[in-house]
Amino acid sequence: MSFIPCAFLVLLALAHRTTCLQGTWQPLASIAIAPRQEHTTLFVPPDSILLLGGITGDNATTTTNLVQQYSIRKNRWESFPPLPLALNHLNAAFMNDKIYVQRTWRSIAPVPEPRGSAAMGVYDGKVILAGGLKQIQLVSPYVQQTVDSVSIYNAAQNRWVTVPTASSTMPDPRDHACAAVINEHFYVLGGRERGQLKGKGTVLMLDLKDLRAGWTIGPVNMLTPRAGLSCGATGSKIYTFGGEGNLRVDSAVFNEMEVYDVATKTWEELGEMRVSRHGTGAVSVRGKIYVPGGGDVIGIAPVSYFDALVPS
């Protein structure tokens, strides 16, 4: 395939988007033991990336309790104590030198409304849990029960606090969204409601210093509405990767990378992922965004591929 400089692609893009990569992809050591999707990815300072739970085979019966630790410095996977239960689409966060999961190694106050695949953030000793799935069937009739509820856990008090009415529900239900906390604001991007092909494009924002103000909807939608995407934040920017529900390709998986600048409230295309994926979780560490595993076909199709984007 011949190379066409980015400057000339603008002239050729009458019906197509440009695909100029703005950054460098670095292939990393493949996920050890088994491929993985629908897991949760956490950064544990100073040097570890953890993969918790997820699906390792071609159906939901291969849900695992496996927790794996990747050393950034060594570019190597290492052992880690497993979860007490096999879980996929789990909600997990790292805060105050502890890993919090809806069902954890040490029991904490139970979540008010149990669900999976929620948008999550950590701020000021609290875990924010927004939306998610109360039920998902991967076989006919494929029932998927999406919720709009918002819960906040105070770790110091080991309790779920009362959320002001204006913030207690999202503007609309969504699951399989991605989220980031930047400058005391909680952002939820994309997601879906009741099905893989019903991706949303809105950006929701919650001021964590003023929960009584409620949710606001961003003035500009995502360039590519989608769910099952992953994102990582660095500076004022949220980088989004992949997702599922792409009707333009047989796999129905997106390879789009796009970035949202919360300061200017603008979107920009970044090009394509090296490997199209959904159902993974990205983490940002010192300006580099790590994207481990995921599925390369709509539904369940886990891969071991692991790479990181260094934005330009």
Side-chain angles (χ1 to χ4, degrees):
M1 180 182 293
S2 61
F3 173 74
I4 304 175
C6 293
F8 293 100
L9 280 174
V10 177
L11 301 176
L12 299 175
L14 298 178
H16 304 279
R17 293 181 178 173
T18 60
T19 57
C20 299
L21 177 63
Q22 297 187 30
T24 303
W25 280 107
Q26 296 181 353
L28 302 171
S30 297
I31 298 172
I33 302 178
R36 193 84 69 89
Q37 79 174 81
E38 312 306 345
H39 55 277
T40 293
T41 309
L42 298 177
F43 171 58
V44 177
D47 183 59
S48 295
I49 293 174
L50 298 187
L51 303 190
L52 294 86
I55 296 173
T56 59
D58 59 2
N59 60 65
T61 65
T62 58
T63 294
T64 184
N65 67 346
L66 187 64
V67 178
Q68 288 173 273
Q69 176 177 253
Y70 171 78
S71 168
I72 296 173
R73 181 177 59 84
K74 299 176 184 176
N75 187 29
R76 186 174 73 194
W77 291 93
E78 301 172 342
S79 60
F80 200 87
L83 295 164
L85 293 173
L87 296 170
N88 63 63
H89 292 85
L90 66 159
N91 304 317
F94 177 77
M95 180 176 63
N96 299 333
D97 296 325
K98 296 181 178 67
I99 300 168
Y100 292 84
V101 183
Q102 259 184 248
R103 294 168 178 168
T104 63
W105 292 266
R106 182 173 61 85
S107 203
I108 62 173
V111 66
E113 186 177 13
R115 71 266 203 189
S117 195
M120 294 191 67
V122 173
Y123 169 75
D124 191 29
K126 301 178 180 67
V127 177
I128 303 97
L129 197 67
L133 275 170
K134 292 191 71 174
Q135 181 183 12
I136 180 170
Q137 294 180 351
L138 299 177
V139 297
S140 182
Y142 303 104
V143 174
Q144 299 191 25
Q145 185 181 356
T146 308
V147 299
D148 62 1
S149 52
V150 177
S151 305
I152 298 179
Y153 174 74
N154 186 312
Q157 300 174 0
N158 186 28
R159 69 183 183 93
W160 294 85
V161 302
T162 301
V163 182
T165 302
S167 299
S168 61
T169 57
M170 307 171 75
D172 53 50
R174 62 184 62 197
D175 62 83
H176 284 80
C178 72
V181 175
I182 298 179
N183 297 332
E184 301 172 320
H185 291 78
F186 178 56
Y187 295 87
V188 178
L189 299 84
R192 68 193 189 209
E193 181 182 358
R194 302 179 188 274
Q196 282 96 326
L197 303 181
K198 299 179 180 180
K200 296 175 180 285
T202 48
V203 177
L204 308 181
M205 188 272 289
L206 189 63
D207 186 341
L208 298 174
K209 296 185 300 180
D210 185 13
L211 293 176
R212 296 186 183 280
W215 290 88
T216 59
I217 301 176
V220 181
N221 283 358
M222 300 175 67
L223 299 175
T224 306
R226 54 209 152 113
L229 71 165
S230 58
C231 62
T234 178
S236 67
K237 297 181 177 181
I238 305 174
Y239 292 80
T240 65
F241 305 90
E244 65 180 340
N246 185 355
L247 298 178
R248 295 180 284 109
V249 296
D250 291 340
S251 68
V253 176
F254 290 99
N255 64 3
E256 278 82 353
M257 299 191 306
E258 297 164 356
V259 61
Y260 181 65
D261 191 321
V262 303
T264 61
K265 297 180 173 60
T266 57
W267 281 95
E268 183 180 2
E269 293 178 341
L270 296 181
E272 300 176 351
M273 302 176 70
R274 288 169 57 92
V275 177
S276 305
R277 281 168 286 163
H278 72 96
T280 179
V283 291
S284 178
V285 183
R286 295 183 282 273
K288 184 185 294 187
I289 304 167
Y290 295 80
V291 188
D296 61 359
V297 175
I298 191 171
I300 301 175
V303 299
S304 298
Y305 193 79
F306 183 24
D307 54 9
L309 177 72
V310 184
S312 57

